[in-house]
Amino acid sequence: MNDQVLAGYRESIDNIDAALVFMLAERFKITKAVGRYKAEHQLPPADPGRETSQIERLRGLAKAANLDPDFSEKFLRFVIDEVIRHHERARENG
């Protein structure tokens, strides 16, 4: 590819994607610890009140960042659902 402008954009996108992966890895490292804590203390894997407040908070942040709030909610819901699966597994494996 000879288009240096496009190559520069793609390099930035690649860097952002890498940062997102590392941020998600860090997030899941912490949520796995939360899952173990919940399992040890017989707490439920899901916390609907916390989920609702987090979604509302992220929707507000998305609006402030000029990001589609519906997209941000779908993304967060996907992450939350995966976290809950991890917490359920931690409870089952006690």
Side-chain angles (χ1 to χ4, degrees), residues 22-92:
F22 281 96
M23 298 277 292
L24 282 169
E26 186 66 20
R27 188 184 196 287
F28 276 95
K29 181 171 75 174
I30 300 302
T31 59
K32 282 184 181 185
V34 169
R36 287 189 301 271
Y37 179 89
K38 285 181 171 184
E40 290 167 4
H41 294 88
Q42 291 79 46
L43 297 170
D47 184 344
R50 165 98 172 135
E51 294 163 25
T52 298
S53 66
Q54 283 296 92
I55 288 171
E56 289 174 11
R57 186 177 74 84
L58 267 280
R59 286 184 67 88
L61 290 171
K63 288 177 188 174
N66 294 316
L67 178 66
D68 179 1
D70 292 335
F71 168 77
S72 68
E73 182 173 342
K74 287 176 192 173
F75 178 78
L76 185 61
R77 174 50 54 197
F78 176 79
V79 170
I80 288 170
D81 289 346
E82 186 64 22
V83 167
I84 291 170
R85 277 192 289 281
H86 290 189
H87 291 184
E88 288 169 343
R89 232 177 289 135
R91 182 180 60 185
E92 291 165 3

Side-chain angles (χ1 to χ4, degrees), residues 7-24:
Y9 290 150
R10 287 180 172 168
E11 183 178 352
S12 291
I13 289 168
D14 292 349
N15 289 342
I16 292 166
D17 288 346
L20 286 169
V21 167
F22 281 96
M23 298 277 292
L24 282 169

